[in-house]
Amino acid sequence: MGAARASVPSVEDRLVAVLGARQGSGVLLTPELVLTSAHLFGKDDAVEVAAPDGGGRVPCDVVWSGDPGTDDVALLVAREPVLPLGQAPPLRWGKCAGWQPMPRCQVLGFPRVQRYAGEELEAVQVPGTLMPLAGRMRGRYVLHADHHPPAPVPDGSPWAGLSGGPVFAGPLLIGIASGDPMGWQHASIESVPLSAVIGDDGFRKALLNHWPGAPEFEEVTSAYPEDLSYEPAYAKAVKAAYSRLEIFGLEELSSGDWDLDTAYLSLEAQSPSGRTGSGPRRIEDLLGSRPRTVLRGEAGAGKTTLVWWLACHAVGRTLPGQLAELDGLVPFVVPMRSLAARGITSPTPSQLPKIARLPVDRPPDGWAGRVLEAGRGLLLVDGMDEIPQADRELARKWLAGLLRMYPRTRCLVTVRPLAVGSGWLEQEGFEELRLLPMGDEDIRSFAAAWHRAARLECDRYADEHWAKRQRDRLDKLEPELGHEFERNSVLRDLARTPLLCAVICALHRQWNGLLPKTRWDLYSAALSLMLARRDAHRRILKPEGIDLTADESRQLLQRIAVWLVRNGRAELSREQAVRQLDLALRGLRRVRAQGATPVVLAYLLNRSGLLQEQAPDSIQFIHRTFQDYLAAKEFQESDCLDELLLHAAEEQWQDVLRLAVGHCGRSEEKRLIAGLTAAADAAPDRETEWPLRALAAHCALHAKYIEDDQYQQVWAGLKRLLPARDQRELHSLGQEVVAAVR
């Protein structure tokens, strides 16, 4: 039948010839399991199969055979592997869920009409249109061939030998060829739907005995089987885009790529207090039973990592058992920052596959809408807080409208804790979950994973002696950091998010065991290493022909960061970035003399490790936390604290305010805290006053110098409002303020 090949690249390569009392065709489900037609052999007949690329005929045992008049299907087990299917794509099963004709289907086999040189077998592909309604009364699918039918033969059908051949709609196996109906002059081929025979207890038992991993049926719901051919390419693009995550601290404090499964840490989440099952549980346990979820989490808490992990494993059908209902769904990742940058407010279904800019060809027209209509979509809306506050209501209306149009769509929305009100999407059936800070065990697990990944980075070094020294050093540093976490509660509290835990691991490595004491020291040290020491450590001098100090780079980045905050944005174009750098360069004569502004921007993108261009003409910080930290520094240095105070009631500005106090001198601290206290005193209602009191308390706790009377005034104002009325108020205080109140 032909020479064996090293791999099996497609579902078509599963075709086999079945040789019993009659010659027929079949399809390999596994290397030994064959599906074919029951009418090809009698009860005691010897049966063999042969694959075009196999090693010859292989004897088989019949483990189940249906009635040729109704369930004309048989299951064979070969006595040795027919083909090595290890590299073949997983076989998928399908069933027709509508009555519309479906073009671009095919049946494969070894019919009489295709034989050559006498009786030598040859394979055929018969493309055609599946007519689900045509065989409804007899429980058959009918395929109308696209080409001219073969000429009649005097003693039977020219299609003889095709029986048992697989019928595919795209990549889905939907039936087994069984006959050539009278009256159509051989233009049609009948097949037995797999969805019909699977209901037979005997068949199902025999199947699962020899193939425990038999696939579930996927619905073919439209006349567009090209959708099914496109989806493997889309799945491959999703994996390419999201299977690696940038994790701070690898490759000498660049944003090194981490394998997603290595980077992913199963975090705990919690339902709002008072609801069933409101205690802390792992996020996978909670998401599986919630078709629509709003997930709140702090900056760096792992929200985006979760979104990418869900997308990758959903298309790969590799999600854990708790999330089995999401396996096989088609994920549409919607990064809200990208929508804002591109001026898209209400994306249509056809825009959903394009928003994330995946490396894949354009989908068939209407594909995304058909996926959503069939209930096969997984909508992952990431970072609702990363669009301007004024646009969030419009975004809510868009999402609500989309889900009313496609009510079977699973949906996860991620957002920072205070970015939208409680019950924001409750009318659309969403339930709320809150990502919890990492516990002590999670911190240990994350640190262990970080050090494992760092050791893998050592494998890239050309000098094996140097690589061994670095691995040995990591082996020594890892337990030392573990001891630091155990004895230092302040350090543990800083490490409660994956982002900051990664920063701590990186700095501990770079500083040979020394660590900063405060959040501001942590950020400052990280920026210093990324902006100045990284290239020097790697002996890279004047990359891009420019030599910037850490302070010069920081000042340039601050201008970009403050523009993003002022405009409620998370991304900007190259033109906008150049314009902001032009303003900054007016006072940086040494930098200005080294090159034009676009060259300086290229330097920051290539060398700083803080800016990235994930898509053409769309620049952003590697993490929002660094954007807010640098913006806070710019507000302080440019004497714009009053501007911060004007926006103190706006959620998007509050993280910047919290960070600003750490940059302030003595008089600036006093002025900032006094401004927050005055704004809280003048607040018209509790809803406005509460976050201002919480901000003032946070700033008072972290001020390097604060007089007793001002400190007492801050706490007296907060205590007048206590206790917190709900989880939202309690969360806005933060753990440090809650601990101080107690």
Side-chain angles (χ1 to χ4, degrees), residues 666 670 673 703 705-714:
R666 184 189 304 178
K670 183 175 181 179
I673 294 168
Y705 181 92
I706 183 171
E707 295 180 356
D708 289 345
D709 59 344
Q710 188 177 38
Y711 188 82
Q712 291 164 4
Q713 182 185 13
V714 167

Side-chain angles (χ1 to χ4, degrees), residues 221-299:
T221 56
S222 70
Y224 300 91
E226 63 266 30
D227 291 0
L228 300 171
S229 300
Y230 174 77
E231 285 175 20
Y234 182 82
K236 186 176 180 181
V238 167
K239 291 178 182 178
Y242 300 124
S243 63
R244 297 197 64 83
L245 193 69
E246 291 183 342
I247 295 295
F248 186 86
L250 300 181
E251 296 183 331
E252 304 299 340
L253 283 181
S254 74
S255 296
D257 281 347
W258 233 1
D259 176 79
L260 181 66
D261 285 331
T262 303
Y264 180 71
L265 179 69
S266 175
L267 297 173
E268 285 190 323
Q270 188 169 12
S271 300
S273 180
R275 298 192 181 183
T276 303
S278 61
R281 295 170 62 190
R282 293 293 164 184
I283 185 66
E284 299 87 354
D285 296 330
L286 293 167
L287 284 179
S289 60
R290 289 166 169 79
R292 297 180 181 179
T293 305
V294 173
L295 180 66
R296 299 178 187 262
E298 299 286 359

Side-chain angles (χ1 to χ4, degrees), residues 626-699:
F626 290 114
Q627 173 189 307
D628 291 347
Y629 175 86
L630 289 163
K633 181 66 173 171
E634 179 63 21
F635 280 117
Q636 180 263 329
E637 287 187 348
S638 58
D639 195 21
C640 290
L641 295 181
D642 289 341
E643 182 183 356
L644 273 179
L645 289 169
L646 283 173
H647 294 279
E650 298 175 31
E651 179 274 333
Q652 275 191 312
W653 289 69
Q654 287 169 4
D655 282 337
V656 183
L657 256 163
R658 290 186 185 94
L659 290 165
V661 70
H663 296 303
C664 289
R666 184 189 304 178
S667 62
E668 291 170 326
E669 288 174 332
K670 183 175 181 179
R671 177 173 146 209
L672 193 67
I673 294 168
L676 289 170
T677 303
D681 290 342
D685 51 42
R686 180 187 177 94
E687 185 176 346
T688 307
E689 182 182 359
W690 182 274
L692 295 170
R693 297 288 184 201
L695 274 172
H698 176 91
C699 292

